Amino acid sequence: MEIVSEECQPLFDEVQAYLSQSKDVIPLEQLYQVIVSYVSFLESKVPWLCAVSRASTGHRPLHSPLCQWMRTTCRYLYNEASAKGDISDVDIVYSVEALLATLHNIDFHLKDEGLSTKQILKGIRRLYIDGLKASKSG
């Protein structure tokens, strides 16, 4: 797991730099950009991450350092969106877990289902960003 954390550090640093430089961007858009970075990272590391998972006794992928980091980041950004009134009546904890489950299967969607990254990101945006926006009407 220590090696996984080291391999993931560039992603962590990239996202932290983005979040620090994009304070004027609404949290849901920040979250989408984090998701784009995460998906790009996963695409480049899928074979390696799968091999590490298979080699780790008792490994639970959604408890990996990478997923823990993503869970924390998503919860933070959803909470920020909620505080600003950008989302309402959303179960943030469950929404994050559903998003992580979707992201966890990215290799299946890309390789076995033949979906493109563009399709996946468009679907994620519709479900986990646009679909959670608070209604601004009456």
Side-chain angles (χ1 to χ4, degrees):
M1 289 302 103
E2 190 174 311
I3 293 169
V4 173
S5 292
E6 287 176 25
E7 284 290 319
C8 297
Q9 195 60 51
L11 172 67
F12 302 161
D13 294 343
E14 172 191 330
V15 167
Q16 186 56 51
Y18 166 73
L19 293 175
S20 295
Q21 296 168 359
S22 65
K23 300 231 183 261
D24 57 331
V25 176
I26 64 170
L28 286 176
E29 287 304 316
Q30 288 178 319
L31 176 58
Y32 183 69
Q33 291 308 312
V34 169
I35 292 168
V36 169
S37 293
Y38 188 81
V39 167
S40 176
F41 176 81
L42 288 179
E43 277 186 300
S44 69
K45 299 287 185 182
V46 160
W48 181 81
L49 287 170
C50 288
V52 168
S53 294
R54 285 190 295 273
S56 301
T57 306
H59 177 66
R60 297 177 65 191
L62 293 177
H63 290 128
S64 72
L66 178 60
C67 283
Q68 293 288 18
W69 169 84
M70 189 62 169
R71 179 177 288 111
T72 300
T73 303
C74 291
R75 283 184 185 173
Y76 169 77
L77 291 168
Y78 273 142
N79 280 318
E80 288 289 306
S82 180
K84 292 180 182 222
D86 295 337
I87 60 174
S88 62
D89 196 31
V90 172
D91 184 334
I92 292 171
V93 172
Y94 180 76
S95 296
V96 169
E97 294 309 313
L99 173 58
L100 288 175
T102 300
L103 292 170
H104 172 67
N105 289 314
I106 200 93
D107 63 323
F108 171 75
H109 299 304
L110 289 167
K111 292 184 170 104
D112 297 337
E113 292 297 313
L115 298 173
S116 70
T117 303
K118 185 177 179 178
Q119 284 175 292
I120 293 167
L121 289 172
K122 185 176 180 181
I124 287 172
R125 180 175 193 84
R126 182 175 297 133
L127 293 170
Y128 299 104
I129 304 300
D130 298 338
L132 299 182
K133 288 182 179 175
S135 174
K136 298 295 182 187
S137 61

